[in-house]
Amino acid sequence: MATSRLDLRLDMEIKNKAEKASALLGMKSLTEYVVKLMDENASEVIEKYESITLDNDIFDQFMDACDKADKPNKALKDAASFAKEQGF
């Protein structure tokens, strides 16, 4: 059950279009439509900014370099510390 509120003020034209879209999709309410859109979009944005996608050949090169790597040097340890501090 939802426990948080979000109050919005928007242009009547936008509201009318959203209500029409909601009805066309068979949604019970404009709120249901807006919540669905927000959830889907937020998930997409988060995935875009919190993931890395590589081509197969680049990933293979990365893994090969990891397999051949010596012990971590100071620069690599510093980079790992920095990444951890930044929440990566």
Side-chain angles (χ1 to χ4, degrees):
M1 178 177 215
T3 59
S4 185
R5 289 186 56 89
L6 174 65
D7 294 316
L8 297 171
R9 293 207 179 273
L10 54 128
D11 184 78
M12 185 58 77
E13 184 179 341
I14 294 170
K15 183 179 181 214
N16 290 338
K17 285 195 301 187
E19 286 174 333
K20 183 175 182 175
S22 173
L24 289 169
L25 291 173
M27 303 256 171
K28 296 174 190 168
S29 67
L30 180 56
T31 298
E32 181 183 7
Y33 177 68
V34 171
V35 168
K36 180 181 184 302
L37 289 177
M38 288 176 62
D39 184 44
E40 290 173 357
N41 183 260
S43 295
E44 289 174 15
V45 170
I46 291 167
E47 182 178 341
K48 178 181 176 183
Y49 283 89
E50 292 187 350
S51 65
I52 298 171
T53 304
L54 301 173
D55 291 333
N56 287 337
D57 60 327
I58 301 297
F59 178 76
D60 291 342
Q61 291 174 28
F62 172 75
M63 292 304 295
D64 188 48
C66 289
D67 290 340
K68 293 178 180 175
D70 294 328
K71 287 184 179 179
N73 61 21
K74 182 178 179 341
L76 184 57
K77 289 178 183 179
D78 290 346
S81 294
F82 176 77
K84 186 174 182 178
E85 290 169 7
Q86 297 300 313
F88 294 107

